[in-house]
Amino acid sequence: MAEKTRYTDEELEEFRQIINEKLALAKRDYDEMMRVLTNQDSNDVDDTSPTYKALEEGSATQTKEELITMAARQQKFIQGLKAALVRIENKTYGIDRITGKLIPKERLRAVPHATLSVESKMNQNKR
């Protein structure tokens, strides 16, 4: 029996559902981070307590920087998930971009936007 070169339409549909669920959660989390960064949900005392504000300034700056970094990572994750949906449409989803072999289902369920098998990823990191 020849080695399977792509996932079936049914398998691709399963992955599409997984990706859509992760995408919805990722977008929700990203939107929440952006609301915090733009102070849309703010009930704080920034303008009424100058002493408190001075004490919290360093901590707030660090937190904001961390949140910006997290939001950027989340945005990259969302882009990866969207790209995976395109690969599903093109029926190229789950194919290792280096070896051309199928990425194991277990990996795709855990990391649905993966474009490399664990083996390829490890080999790439050795370079």
Side-chain angles (χ1 to χ4, degrees):
M1 190 169 134
E3 189 175 331
K4 193 171 169 183
T5 57
R6 79 168 191 88
Y7 285 109
T8 66
D9 290 347
E10 292 78 21
E11 290 167 321
L12 290 175
E13 193 53 41
E14 175 194 340
F15 290 125
R16 182 192 315 272
Q17 289 175 3
I18 291 169
I19 292 167
N20 281 329
E21 288 170 16
K22 287 192 182 273
L23 191 55
L25 286 172
K27 285 179 178 178
R28 189 198 68 206
D29 291 348
Y30 177 78
D31 290 344
E32 180 62 29
M33 287 179 218
M34 295 311 291
R35 267 196 300 285
V36 171
L37 282 170
T38 58
N39 292 320
Q40 289 179 5
D41 294 337
S42 183
N43 266 347
D44 57 26
V45 290
D46 279 352
D47 55 355
T48 59
S49 180
T51 307
Y52 176 77
K53 184 177 181 184
L55 293 172
E56 290 294 315
E57 189 106 351
S59 167
T61 301
Q62 181 181 1
T63 302
K64 203 163 217 172
E65 287 172 3
E66 289 169 358
L67 205 50
I68 289 168
T69 300
M70 286 172 51
R73 287 183 67 198
Q74 195 71 357
Q75 195 170 36
K76 186 177 177 185
F77 179 56
I78 290 168
Q79 289 170 342
L81 291 172
K82 286 180 176 179
L85 288 174
V86 170
R87 289 192 302 278
I88 286 175
E89 287 301 313
N90 296 338
K91 300 191 188 304
T92 58
Y93 179 80
I95 300 171
D96 186 307
R97 63 184 162 88
I98 293 177
T99 66
K101 294 180 180 176
L102 284 184
I103 299 169
K105 282 185 181 183
E106 300 75 36
R107 173 153 171 78
L108 292 172
R109 285 185 183 117
V111 187
H113 59 293
T115 59
L116 297 172
S117 65
V118 173
E119 184 181 343
S120 291
K121 182 99 173 146
M122 289 173 65
N123 288 337
Q124 188 181 43
N125 289 340
K126 288 180 185 174
R127 293 182 205 157

